[in-house]
Amino acid sequence: MKSITIIMVAMVSAVAFTGLSASELTVREQQRISVPEAHQAVAVDATSFYAIANRTIARYAKGTDKRLASWTAPAGSAILHLNSGVVFDGKLYCANSNWPAAPLKNSVEIFDAEALQPIETIPFEEAAGAINWIERYRGSWWIVFAFYGDAEIRRTKLVRYDDQWSPTGEWTFPETVIQRFLPNSNSGGAFGPNGSLFVTGHDHAELYVLQVPQDGGELSHLATVAAPIAGQGIAWDRSDIGSLWGIVRSGHEVVTMRLSHTDEYAELRRPVEWIRDQSNPVLPPRPGEFDATRCMNPWILRDRDTYRLFYSGGHQNGKQKIGVATTPVGDVNNWTRTGPLFETGEAGSFDAHWCVLPNVVRMRDNLWHLYYTGNAGQGLGLSAFPGIGLATSNDATTWTRHGDQPVLAPSDEYGSPDAIGVAGGSVIQMPQGDGPPQWRYYYTGCPTTGNALALHQQKTICLATSTDGLHWTKLGAVLLRDPNRDYEDIGVAGPVVHLEPDGMFRMWYSAIGTRHGFYSICYAESDDGIHWRRGALSDANLQLSPIGTGWEQQMVEYPTIIREGEHLRMFYCGNGYGRTGIGTAVSK
């Protein structure tokens, strides 16, 4: 009888990434499902997983042992040794060879992913080395040709192909990884969410994390990570960033894992409790004004004895524009509002409909940057947010849009943390020596869209760096949803990061979970700004939840934090993404 086992908190150890100082990479086992076809590999898409045996493939509903379709090679078929699979654009691509027969023959077998009906065979003239896995990444196909035994294994190579199946690059494996492959060879491989290549052997319960040099040559071995599988074909779930699938051949089990690190569930060192202001909301919408329907996405600055609260106001015509409210420090109930500070973009531009999520940063004495998120007014779900824009000022009062293009845009690469949309967060300056300033942008990445809540609301927290605040280099995701905590098991967004004088990074962020169905406000800490602690116990990092029957009963979201004497002050939104306005709270 088939069985399903849920393992919620099993942590597996790992060897640290070379050069990373804070934490060791790990994977956390989430689930095991016993299915008879789990013999060679597993593939996965948004709704299904595919268990792959030598001559049989079966499609199952995700999270269950419910078989939806199956296919077995007919007698006399050239399909003898299916080794791995990847789902791309509605098709399942499988690596196939007749290994260990001679002469060796290789092919890629293409199936309709839903019906599991054969569509096409791509034969390969390359007959030196067995095709063991295939992957789609950054517009190219990646295939490994494997050799076996100590005398031949160093001929194992990774080859990149274009869409016409012409080779465009070639790499070999480092000796440290070859020694772990022996006496067999490389069995599986897939690119992780931040671009590293994860590969397996045939036997060991390990993942080998590799960097792929741009111009070919030898792959760089970054880490060895213990994993609850035994080699064989693996697959990253492009619809669930950070989710890895593998198999245990001996038990015919499909295993799902979650990317993590050793400090993720360590104790928080500076948790905060908050006292909400009895006068909330302190900045409600105003009928007839630019902020008539919504006051959302606060960003707080202090100018001597005055608070300046930047926010996005919703007009009755549906447009969202940036404004600012001021009040003396110590009086958060009487604000003077000015806005909009600038207009939305022209029709067809990335910010034609909305300008939201302001983040104001002083770049130098006479230059201020106001980063904001554009909404184009078109596109499905989070794909309506096609870029982060910039306005500049020399006095933080008069603002000018910086051109018609975003300074940070989605990757448009399925499976990346910001594939379909991006939204704002916070920019901080890093300590510097004699070189140019170093800026970090913690922003929201939107990877997927779809009908399911886990698809259309999935969000990740990503990091990009810059020396001028205009040109940004993306480093990938630094915080993902936590499937084991029901208040942040759908998405994480809107990071507000502070760098403390002692070097600790502190982050407040908005989290969507199945507990509330909408946003709550969470907290994390880090020693390097890359590996974040969430606390040892569930709810340890949950700082504000929806409460009561009033302005914040549905959701609380998009915090901004400022120090106020011995305390911290938070401003945040309420119901309907600010339809009830902005409130405030003070730390105990």
Side-chain angles (χ1 to χ4, degrees):
M1 181 175 179
K2 300 168 187 173
S3 64
I4 300 175
T5 305
I6 306 292
I7 302 176
M8 299 302 292
V9 294
M11 174 71 79
V12 249
S13 62
V15 178
F17 271 117
T18 301
L20 296 185
S21 59
S23 301
E24 295 179 348
L25 185 69
T26 66
V27 290
R28 294 169 59 89
E29 182 176 327
Q30 297 293 308
Q31 185 181 39
R32 285 177 183 250
I33 303 176
S34 294
V35 294
E37 302 87 0
H39 183 74
Q40 291 288 357
V42 62
V44 62
D45 62 21
T47 60
S48 306
F49 70 88
Y50 303 77
I52 300 171
N54 283 333
R55 305 181 74 244
T56 298
I57 307 168
R59 180 168 73 92
Y60 290 86
K62 255 184 179 176
T64 76
D65 59 2
K66 181 182 178 181
R67 185 185 291 136
L68 303 175
S70 64
W71 177 87
T72 297
S77 169
I79 296 177
L80 300 174
H81 197 108
L82 295 171
N83 292 305
S84 75
V86 61
V87 182
F88 175 69
D89 199 22
K91 299 176 183 178
L92 174 64
Y93 294 75
C94 290
N96 174 62
S97 76
N98 66 341
W99 186 90
L104 188 63
K105 295 181 180 180
N106 290 312
S107 65
V108 171
E109 303 296 328
I110 307 174
F111 300 82
D112 178 274
E114 183 175 4
L116 286 185
Q117 291 301 308
I119 296 175
E120 185 180 1
T121 294
I122 307 294
F124 277 75
E125 294 182 2
E126 177 69 67
I131 289 184
N132 269 11
W133 58 264
I134 181 171
E135 168 74 311
R136 179 75 179 184
Y137 180 66
R138 291 188 176 174
S140 297
W141 295 104
W142 303 74
I143 290 176
V144 151
F145 294 87
F147 292 79
Y148 289 76
D150 191 55
E152 293 287 322
I153 190 173
R154 289 163 188 84
R155 298 176 62 193
T156 299
K157 61 184 179 181
L158 170 66
V159 182
R160 183 181 63 205
Y161 292 88
D162 62 20
D163 284 335
Q164 288 70 49
W165 302 101
S166 298
T168 62
E170 186 173 309
W171 294 262
T172 59
F173 287 84
E175 185 66 23
T176 52
V177 175
I178 287 173
Q179 290 298 319
R180 299 302 294 167
F181 287 162
L182 286 169
N184 291 302
S185 189
N186 175 214
S187 182
F191 284 93
N194 288 348
S196 294
L197 176 62
F198 288 68
V199 301
T200 59
H202 284 68
D203 311 294
H204 295 302
E206 295 174 341
L207 300 163
Y208 311 107
V209 189
L210 306 174
Q211 184 178 28
V212 181
Q214 182 175 353
D215 298 323
E218 184 175 284
L219 301 165
S220 299
H221 185 193
L222 301 178
T224 298
V225 181
I229 57 176
Q232 305 306 318
I234 58 174
W236 286 98
D237 188 344
R238 309 298 187 200
S239 72
D240 184 7
I241 306 302
S243 178
L244 178 64
W245 294 62
I247 69 167
V248 177
R249 173 188 283 182
S250 61
H252 296 286
E253 294 172 316
V254 172
V255 182
T256 60
M257 298 157 278
R258 206 63 201 165
L259 193 63
S260 184
H261 60 86
T262 52
D263 279 353
E264 185 169 12
Y265 298 99
E267 294 283 350
L268 295 170
R269 300 173 191 170
R270 296 175 192 168
V272 184
E273 295 183 64
W274 298 93
I275 302 171
R276 306 179 204 228
D277 197 294
Q278 295 300 309
S279 300
N280 281 338
V282 297
L283 196 76
R286 301 176 298 169
E289 302 293 340
F290 84 97
D291 54 3
T293 64
R294 187 182 276 124
C295 294
M296 64 186 292
N297 307 140
W299 184 265
I300 190 67
L301 293 179
R302 180 168 179 168
D303 181 9
R304 293 181 288 274
D305 293 328
T306 299
Y307 276 146
R308 306 185 74 187
L309 187 69
F310 294 83
Y311 66 101
S312 179
H315 194 271
Q316 289 174 336
N317 64 8
K319 295 268 184 125
Q320 289 271 161
K321 300 177 183 179
I322 305 297
V324 65
T326 60
T327 192
V329 173
D331 180 6
V332 295
N333 294 294
N334 297 286
W335 297 86
T336 300
R337 311 191 203 193
T338 302
L341 302 182
F342 52 89
E343 295 298 318
T344 55
E346 298 294 328
S349 64
F350 79 98
D351 57 354
H353 191 52
W354 284 3
C355 296
V356 296
L357 283 161
N359 169 218
V360 181
V361 183
R362 188 173 190 171
M363 306 298 288
R364 54 178 185 265
D365 287 345
N366 61 347
L367 178 63
W368 294 77
H369 279 187
L370 189 160
Y371 298 94
Y372 66 93
T373 299
N375 181 300
Q378 58 187 7
L380 180 64
L382 299 172
S383 66
F385 295 88
I388 294 173
L390 173 66
T392 61
S393 175
N394 59 14
D395 59 5
T397 300
T398 302
W399 296 90
T400 303
R401 289 171 71 251
H402 180 78
D404 296 322
Q405 299 298 318
V407 296
L408 197 67
S411 70
D412 293 324
E413 175 73 22
Y414 182 62
S416 70
D418 62 356
I420 66 160
V422 292
S426 57
V427 173
I428 64 171
Q429 185 173 10
M430 296 296 293
Q432 65 187 83
D434 297 330
Q438 297 291 326
W439 300 92
R440 285 187 178 185
Y441 199 165
Y442 293 89
Y443 69 97
T444 305
C446 308
T448 54
T449 188
N451 293 326
L453 180 66
L455 292 177
H456 75 73
Q457 284 298 319
Q458 182 181 187
K459 300 180 181 73
T460 64
I461 291 176
C462 302
L463 175 61
T465 61
S466 176
T467 58
D468 61 8
L470 299 174
H471 305 91
W472 295 91
T473 300
K474 295 180 180 180
L475 300 184
V478 295
L479 195 71
L480 304 173
R481 74 179 189 94
D482 186 341
N484 297 325
R485 295 185 175 182
D486 63 2
Y487 51 91
E488 55 176 342
D489 57 345
I490 300 298
V492 292
V496 175
V497 176
H498 286 206
L499 177 56
E500 298 290 329
D502 64 357
M504 178 185 283
F505 294 80
R506 307 176 77 187
M507 179 198 294
W508 288 266
Y509 60 96
S510 302
I512 302 176
T514 52
R515 179 189 298 185
H516 303 116
F518 292 97
Y519 279 120
S520 56
I521 295 173
C522 292
Y523 171 73
E525 300 171 346
S526 175
D527 296 322
D528 61 4
I530 297 173
H531 303 86
W532 293 89
R533 290 184 293 276
R534 281 174 144 132
L537 301 175
S538 183
D539 284 38
N541 64 328
L542 177 59
Q543 297 214 334
L544 280 187
S545 296
I547 61 168
T549 59
W551 81 283
E552 55 183 336
Q553 67 176 344
Q554 179 195 47
M555 65 174 79
V556 290
E557 74 278 15
Y558 293 109
T560 179
I561 311 292
I562 195 165
R563 180 158 290 282
E564 193 175 271
E566 296 298 315
H567 300 274
L568 297 174
R569 179 173 290 279
M570 175 195 293
F571 294 90
Y572 62 99
C573 308
N575 300 341
Y577 304 96
R579 288 196 179 277
T580 54
I582 294 170
T584 188
V586 176
S587 64
K588 289 185 179 179

